[in-house]
Amino acid sequence: MRALILSDIHANLQALQAVLEHAPEHEVVWNLGDLVGYGGSPNEVIEQARGLGTLVVRGNHDRACCGMTDLEGFNPVASRAARWTQCVLTPEHLSWLRHLAGGPVRPRDTWEVSCVHGSMRDEDEYVLSTRDAWHSLSEAPTRVNFFGHTHLQGGFATDGQEWYRLTPDYETRDRAEEWVLQLSSGARYMLNPGSVGQPRDGDWRAAFALYETEEQRLTFCRVPYDLRGAQESILRAGLPDRLASRLRDGR
């Protein structure tokens, strides 16, 4: 089985469309949350994401943008975007966000995988270091665990003795590329497909991943998208300029 793994779209319709156009053939889609917030196309992104599959894990921006949590802890720019999103989301999409599952969620298609937005012990926790990964994996019942939230493509692995940071190594910043990771049967993993709509690893291209269960192979992917269109959508909405300019920097 092949699973397309998406995370942190953040209402960037142009990036999502580019990912779906370039993604290899797949049977299921696993979405790790934060469909909305920051970007200018929340209703369009939700509409498209709802048609992709049933496994969608909620993110912290999803909860904030549908009024499930307050905006305490959000910076002023993120708060402004969340309040705008609350105002423009349709009642149907607000309800859909409120009913998303909190992670971790285990797909029905495979027994060895868990999906979460933050970490296995806290859906809002950032997994940024091997120490964070160790704490998260100690709570995981599964060997392969996919997470988002950090907007950093890559992850962590352990064979029980040593720990490894996994960082895709790409050649360019201007075309579609792939980086293949062959999983070991004797290792456990925390793996992040990266952010579709707002990468923060210095690479502006949309990020996603493809997981092949039988081959035990994960392919990290980056694709260019209509950056100007995404920026114009943000500016037309009256959102802060910074939300548009940061897309070019991948920060």
Side-chain angles (χ1 to χ4, degrees):
M1 184 191 71
R2 304 174 109 198
L4 175 64
I5 309 173
L6 310 176
S7 191
D8 297 280
I9 303 169
H10 281 292
N12 188 333
L13 180 65
Q14 290 77 9
L16 176 59
Q17 290 175 331
V19 165
L20 297 179
E21 289 172 4
H22 284 84
E25 292 184 6
H26 52 275
E27 287 77 49
V28 295
V29 177
W30 301 338
N31 191 319
L32 308 182
D34 272 3
L35 289 87
V36 296
Y38 298 133
S41 304
N43 284 303
E44 295 85 349
V45 162
I46 290 176
E47 190 69 34
Q48 194 143 28
R50 290 179 67 178
L52 296 177
T54 57
L55 195 154
V56 184
V57 180
R58 71 188 181 196
N60 56 311
H61 283 260
D62 300 325
R63 299 200 323 274
C65 289
C66 70
M68 289 181 64
T69 58
D70 60 33
L71 299 177
E72 184 179 356
F74 277 39
N75 64 51
V77 171
S79 295
R80 182 174 167 186
R83 287 193 295 270
W84 174 83
T85 304
Q86 289 176 356
C87 293
V88 301
L89 282 174
T90 68
E92 180 183 357
H93 290 160
L94 282 168
S95 177
W96 183 79
L97 286 177
R98 292 182 184 125
H99 287 88
L100 290 179
V105 173
R106 296 176 70 172
R108 290 177 293 180
D109 315 283
T110 176
W111 60 270
E112 65 171 5
V113 170
S114 290
C115 295
V116 70
H117 183 66
S119 80
M120 304 304 292
R121 62 180 186 172
D122 184 342
E123 62 182 312
D124 291 340
E125 181 180 32
Y126 289 91
V127 178
L128 293 165
S129 67
T130 53
R131 181 178 180 84
D132 298 333
W134 180 85
H135 285 302
S136 189
L137 271 179
S138 68
E139 302 288 333
T142 46
R143 188 176 69 85
V144 181
N145 305 278
F146 293 107
F147 71 103
H149 201 27
T150 67
H151 299 214
L152 303 174
Q153 191 178 61
F156 305 89
T158 180
D159 60 6
Q161 297 181 341
E162 300 292 330
W163 281 86
Y164 307 91
R165 182 185 290 270
L166 307 169
T167 304
D169 184 18
Y170 298 110
E171 295 181 358
T172 75
R173 291 288 190 272
D174 58 6
R175 59 181 172 84
E177 288 187 90
E178 298 180 349
W179 192 80
V180 178
L181 173 67
Q182 186 64 52
L183 275 60
S184 169
S185 60
R188 304 184 75 206
Y189 296 89
M190 290 290 297
L191 299 167
N192 192 323
S195 172
V196 171
Q198 194 174 102
R200 292 181 184 168
D201 53 9
D203 187 337
W204 70 277
R205 296 172 296 177
F208 64 100
L210 187 79
Y211 178 52
E212 298 170 272
T213 57
E214 288 78 13
E215 295 83 354
Q216 283 296 282
R217 183 167 58 228
L218 184 72
T219 303
F220 291 106
C221 306
R222 302 303 281 254
V223 296
Y225 68 94
D226 179 11
L227 175 67
R228 179 172 294 182
Q231 292 175 322
E232 289 176 351
S233 176
I234 290 170
L235 297 176
R236 283 197 305 270
L239 293 169
D241 293 358
R242 173 60 180 151
L243 293 176
S245 63
R246 73 186 302 178
L247 294 180
R248 166 56 70 182
D249 301 327
R251 295 292 183 190

